[in-house]
């Protein structure tokens, strides 16, 4: 029976509280035991590798002709700043491929020298990346 009463002298004493240090919150106590990232940036690299991109499709002659006709029309109407919706391919900055996007806005500038359009939303689109132009 001595084994059962081994701690009987201290079992009912109040829990010790330090006078020199503030009491740690449950949140901070739990943080001591949370997992840590041994390889910093590893999760970001995994996410980047898993991110999907599309390859740019080659436009056929009919599509190129249609885009060129609409670019000529945009050049004529540039001073009127027509509203357009332009679907284009945006290359990815980090890996091969990219994404097809559609931007809407008024035509701000048609830059033939740099072969790009500038919309009122400050989106710059290269002529060679355009796959569709719609007037709104």
């Amino acid at each position: 029976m001595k084994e059962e009463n081994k701690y009987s002298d201290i079992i009912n004493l109040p829990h010790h509280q330090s006078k020199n240090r503030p009491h740690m919150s449950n949140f901070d106590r739990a943080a001591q035991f949370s997992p840590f990232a041994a390889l910093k940036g590893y999760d970001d690299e995994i996410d980047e590798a898993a991110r999907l991109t599309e390859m740019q499709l080659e436009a056929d002659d009919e599509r190129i002709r249609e885009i060129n006709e609409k670019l000529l029309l945009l050049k004529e109407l540039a001073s009127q700043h027509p509203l357009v919706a332009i679907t284009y391919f945006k290359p990815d900055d980090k890996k091969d491929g990219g994404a097809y996007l559609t931007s809407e806005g008024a035509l701000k500038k048609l830059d033939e020298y740099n072969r790009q359009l500038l919309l009122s939303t400050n989106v710059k689109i290269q002529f060679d990346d355009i796959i569709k132009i719609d007037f709104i």
Side-chain angles (χ1 to χ4, degrees):
M1 289 235 181
K2 280 191 173 187
E3 293 296 322
E4 289 179 38
N5 297 328
K6 186 175 179 180
Y7 300 105
S8 62
D9 58 333
I10 62 170
I11 197 81
N12 293 321
L13 291 177
H15 180 71
H16 173 72
Q17 188 83 346
S18 173
K19 295 176 184 169
N20 301 330
R21 298 182 188 266
H23 182 68
M24 185 182 289
S25 71
N26 286 341
F27 179 79
D28 291 336
R29 288 179 58 81
Q32 293 180 2
F33 303 101
S34 65
F36 67 99
L39 301 172
K40 290 199 184 282
Y42 181 72
D43 289 337
D44 294 335
E45 290 295 323
I46 295 295
D47 291 342
E48 178 61 27
R51 188 172 55 85
L52 298 177
T53 57
E54 298 178 76
M55 298 310 294
Q56 187 172 14
L57 302 173
E58 192 73 27
D60 61 2
D61 292 339
E62 180 63 26
R63 173 131 357 222
I64 292 170
R65 185 189 60 73
E66 180 183 322
I67 292 168
N68 286 335
E69 286 175 1
K70 290 194 177 179
L71 285 171
L72 286 172
L73 184 56
L74 278 176
K75 181 180 175 183
E76 292 173 18
L77 299 172
S79 63
Q80 298 172 20
H81 306 289
L83 289 174
V84 291
I86 299 179
T87 303
Y88 62 100
F89 182 80
K90 182 178 184 211
D92 194 285
D93 294 333
K94 296 183 179 180
K95 60 201 281 190
D96 288 341
Y100 283 98
L101 305 173
T102 300
S103 291
E104 296 180 354
L107 177 66
K108 194 172 185 180
K109 182 179 178 184
L110 190 141
D111 184 355
E112 290 183 85
Y113 181 75
N114 292 313
R115 297 185 44 80
Q116 67 184 9
L117 297 174
L118 177 62
L119 299 181
S120 59
T121 56
N122 289 326
V123 174
K124 290 182 182 178
I125 304 169
Q126 294 298 128
F127 288 176
D128 295 335
D129 295 334
I130 297 172
I131 62 164
K132 187 177 181 187
I133 300 173
D134 292 316
F135 290 89
I136 301 175

